[in-house]
Amino acid sequence: MTLGRRSTGRNKDSIPRLPPRQPDAHKGDFGRVLVVGGSRGMSGAAAMAGMAALRGGAGLVRVAVPASVLPIVASYAPEYMTLAMPEDDDGRFSAAAAELLERSIPAATVVALGPGIGQSEELDDLVAHLYSSVTLPMVVDAEALNALARRQLAAGAPAGPRVLTPHPGEFLRIAHLDNPVERPKLERSVLEQKAIELAAHLQAVIVLKGQHSLVTDGKRAEHNETGNPGMATGGSGDVLTGIIAALLAQKMEPFEAARLGAHLHGLAGDLAADNLGQVAMKAGDLIDYLPAALRKLGM
């Protein structure tokens, strides 16, 4: 498809939304998110993704991290559970983590893969294996995207629904356009058309982050209009990953979950900027203002 008129997103009635919760609901009704990420020096990314998943309404959240960073991640929030994973000498997931993850994933509803996970040959293999074989919906972000780029996006259709959330640099890598010949030609409009084409090819949803983030499944394409430059700070993408994972866990269809997730993420940023200013904002503020964003949409 060719990208058409920008959808403003300013009419909140056009934004997908979660259904009202039933009075007799229990935590099992709202899904179980497994965040797979974190490494020595980047433990906060997995922690923020986990907390954002809780704030986004997931019933249960477990954060799987290398064993040495588990105490840090566990101390961030008592509401999620943690899972210690085998690690290499540099505090990253080792190849031995694959077996434990394969035993843990069936208890989840959604997997969020990548926040703070780092990079190594073993991790590239692990990410490619999970992407190709896990039948659950999966949100893929950060270094997991770069791993997939190095492994040719694990070649072939994934085993289950996928939402990829690259910033432009990550997108250039997964689309194999990060070279001196192609890159100068790629204005934002060209990049967006490439994202639509890649989403169709991968049978996945792509959220191409940036001002007016594009959400596409290759057939549909919508721009998000919430958000501001104060959100250009480390960890912001990890929060988005957690939000989208929570919405998928609550049985939203991937394209709709990505649209609502991008809107809520930006709206939380706008509310934070109204109260804190853009310069002082940090990623954790997006989590703090997510409840107000949900209320503003009547959820």
Side-chain angles (χ1 to χ4, degrees):
M1 68 169 287
T2 300
L3 186 64
R5 181 181 60 86
R6 170 172 287 159
S7 173
T8 66
R10 292 195 175 95
N11 178 5
K12 73 176 184 178
D13 293 332
S14 71
I15 301 300
R17 61 195 58 234
L18 293 165
R21 295 193 166 193
Q22 298 301 312
D24 61 348
H26 58 84
K27 60 181 179 286
D29 294 330
F30 306 116
R32 301 173 300 279
V33 172
L34 176 65
V35 177
V36 180
S39 58
R40 190 178 303 156
M42 293 191 289
S43 57
M48 285 192 294
M51 192 62 198
L54 284 170
R55 284 294 195 192
L60 288 166
V61 175
R62 173 173 281 187
V63 185
V65 294
S68 65
V69 304
L70 185 144
I72 300 170
V73 173
S75 69
Y76 187 85
E79 296 92 347
Y80 55 55
M81 298 171 287
T82 50
L83 180 62
M85 304 301 298
E87 61 186 359
D88 63 18
D89 292 340
D90 294 311
R92 301 169 301 207
F93 285 80
S94 70
E99 183 179 351
L100 182 53
L101 282 171
E102 287 181 346
R103 294 203 304 266
S104 303
I105 284 171
T109 307
V110 174
V111 175
L113 176 63
I117 205 168
Q119 56 180 304
S120 70
E121 286 288 326
E122 289 184 346
L123 268 170
D124 286 359
D125 292 339
L126 176 64
V127 167
H129 172 67
L130 295 175
Y131 182 87
S132 299
S133 64
V134 172
T135 58
L136 300 175
M138 180 182 291
V139 186
V140 187
D141 187 34
E143 282 298 339
L145 291 169
N146 294 325
L148 290 177
R150 289 187 289 270
R151 290 292 185 270
Q152 301 291 313
L153 282 176
R162 301 291 183 258
V163 179
L164 314 183
T165 60
H167 60 55
E170 291 163 343
F171 177 76
L172 289 172
R173 287 188 281 276
I174 63 175
H176 304 293
L177 298 170
D178 192 22
N179 63 71
V181 176
E182 289 286 346
R183 192 163 192 162
K185 304 175 186 177
L186 296 174
E187 298 179 356
R188 179 72 186 191
S189 60
V190 177
L191 207 62
E192 290 182 349
Q193 188 60 44
K194 296 284 188 182
I196 294 168
E197 294 166 4
L198 184 61
H201 176 70
L202 297 177
Q203 302 174 44
V205 174
I206 292 178
V207 182
L208 180 60
K209 295 184 289 197
Q211 185 183 27
H212 308 308
S213 295
L214 179 77
V215 181
T216 180
D217 62 358
K219 300 175 183 177
R220 298 166 287 180
E222 295 283 347
H223 285 96
N224 182 60
E225 293 290 324
T226 57
N228 62 81
M231 298 170 66
T233 184
S236 180
D238 305 314
V239 175
L240 177 62
T241 294
I243 295 171
I244 295 174
L247 298 175
L248 288 169
Q250 292 167 88
K251 300 185 174 70
M252 288 196 80
E253 182 261 335
F255 180 71
E256 300 302 302
R259 283 188 64 211
L260 178 56
H263 183 87
L264 286 168
H265 182 248
L267 182 56
D270 290 339
L271 294 170
D274 288 344
N275 288 276
L276 304 173
Q278 293 184 8
V279 174
M281 283 174 57
K282 56 184 179 64
D285 297 327
L286 304 178
I287 300 171
D288 293 340
Y289 280 88
L290 183 56
L294 284 161
R295 287 198 306 272
K296 193 160 186 177
L297 287 183
M299 291 184 284

